[in-house]
Amino acid sequence: MKERRRIPGLWACAAVLLTLSVAAPAALVLEDTNSQVRIDPNSDAGMYDWTVEGVGQLARQWFWVRVGDTAPEQGIHTLSAPLITLSDTNPFDDSRNDTAHLVYESITAGLRVEVNLGLDGGPLGTGTSDIGETISLRNISGAAMVLHFFQYTDLDLGGDASDDTLRVFLDGANGFNRLEQLDAGSAWMSETVASITPDHYEVGEATGMLARLNDGAPILLADTVGPYTGNAAAILQWTFALNDQQEVVISKDKHITPEPGMMALLAAGVPLLLRRRGRR
């Protein structure tokens, strides 16, 4: 991610002035240099658009939780109406909100979930963009619980759902290393986890995988790594045994860049035309 220019004092003051707590609208918009993200915090559409250089790259990413092993998963938006804070972390650059902080809390479920999404666009013309994600999960039930947390990701790189190749990379005995997706001739995405890697994962066809998260039965992931080519999606799962008031924090990062062949052309100074392709 690119380095931000910070001015002590003025920076802090501007960040406070440009931080907004808002009621839940139909869509939240984050913008930074060459990129835009749209989020529906009130449905399982979640983060449903990530546009880089005018090209849509994402169909959907959102989060589900399950308390115990036998209950069905539920989208975090079902816990409560979200408390939303939008902010501009680099106000001296463009004065546009680039960060969303969402808080969902349910006494009935005994769970508080905080999601922080930060968009860091690349310089115009580079085709690069980055989303940093931090998810905090706190047990507020008054007793110990086993908590399962799920992320569903359906990236349509280059605006086309039909020709992406997705796979999970493993790191020996350490398990999950990263998630990578490639649209040949268009874009490449890598998702890495900085803290608390998932213990289960699966890649496959997007529509069927999403349906399994919403079918009213607990999902069992097959730990398949791919590669899967087509309308690809991935589900990642984390499992935690949490005491009352215990909190865990998952920190992740998604990075989009032109795929290696395009990067070589850019390095050689060959101009590329980024075009919008039809979404499914």
Side-chain angles (χ1 to χ4, degrees):
M1 296 173 66
K2 62 181 181 291
E3 183 178 352
R4 302 292 195 189
R5 179 170 62 90
R6 290 178 167 79
I7 301 178
L10 288 176
W11 175 274
C13 180
V16 170
L17 290 174
L18 289 166
T19 298
L20 303 173
S21 292
V22 298
L28 311 176
V29 179
L30 307 181
E31 297 178 286
D32 190 58
T33 58
N34 68 345
S35 304
Q36 184 181 82
V37 162
R38 294 183 183 274
I39 306 162
D40 178 355
N42 299 297
S43 79
D44 66 8
M47 186 165 63
Y48 65 89
D49 178 64
W50 182 7
T51 297
V52 184
E53 306 281 1
V55 179
Q57 308 284 3
L58 176 71
R60 183 191 311 236
Q61 176 188 294
W62 201 230
F63 307 109
W64 280 252
V65 291
R66 183 176 79 221
V67 177
D69 295 327
T70 59
E73 300 79 38
Q74 61 185 108
I76 61 171
H77 61 282
T78 65
L79 295 173
S80 70
L83 175 64
I84 301 169
T85 303
L86 300 179
S87 61
D88 181 12
T89 62
N90 56 323
F92 299 104
D93 285 2
D94 56 23
S95 299
R96 297 181 296 173
N97 290 321
D98 54 39
T99 300
H101 182 71
L102 314 175
V103 181
Y104 302 86
E105 183 172 308
S106 169
I107 300 301
T108 301
L111 189 61
R112 176 184 173 94
V113 179
E114 298 185 44
V115 177
N116 197 75
L117 302 170
L119 175 64
D120 189 9
L124 290 173
T126 63
T128 63
S129 186
D130 193 278
I131 297 177
E133 305 174 53
T134 303
I135 304 100
S136 301
L137 307 165
R138 178 179 289 273
N139 176 3
I140 59 172
S141 68
M145 71 163 55
V146 174
L147 175 65
H148 303 274
F149 178 76
F150 302 86
Q151 173 185 293
Y152 172 85
T153 304
D154 177 8
L155 284 154
D156 293 349
L157 296 180
D160 186 351
S162 65
D163 60 352
D164 288 2
T165 298
L166 175 64
R167 66 169 296 176
V168 169
F169 285 86
L170 303 179
D171 181 18
N174 296 320
F176 181 92
N177 178 269
R178 68 191 185 278
L179 188 68
E180 285 193 6
Q181 188 160 330
L182 175 69
D183 185 339
S186 175
W188 171 81
M189 185 282 306
S190 178
E191 178 171 14
T192 56
V193 182
S195 68
I196 314 183
T197 56
D199 45 5
H200 294 289
Y201 39 82
E202 186 174 330
V203 299
E205 192 277 329
T207 304
M209 296 186 72
L210 179 62
R212 289 166 58 201
L213 283 167
N214 293 321
D215 64 2
I219 193 170
L220 180 63
L221 298 182
D223 292 340
T224 55
V225 299
Y228 180 88
T229 299
N231 184 13
I235 300 176
L236 305 179
Q237 176 182 344
W238 290 257
T239 303
F240 304 103
L242 300 179
N243 294 322
D244 181 42
Q245 300 304 318
Q246 184 177 357
E247 181 180 69
V248 291
V249 179
I250 300 168
S251 179
K252 308 187 293 88
D253 186 87
K254 284 185 177 65
H255 184 71
I256 284 180
T257 191
E259 64 95 5
M262 293 178 67
M263 292 170 64
L265 292 175
L266 287 170
V270 178
L272 297 175
L273 176 63
L274 293 175
R275 60 187 177 91
R276 183 185 297 272
R277 289 190 281 177
R279 297 291 302 278
R280 61 186 171 89

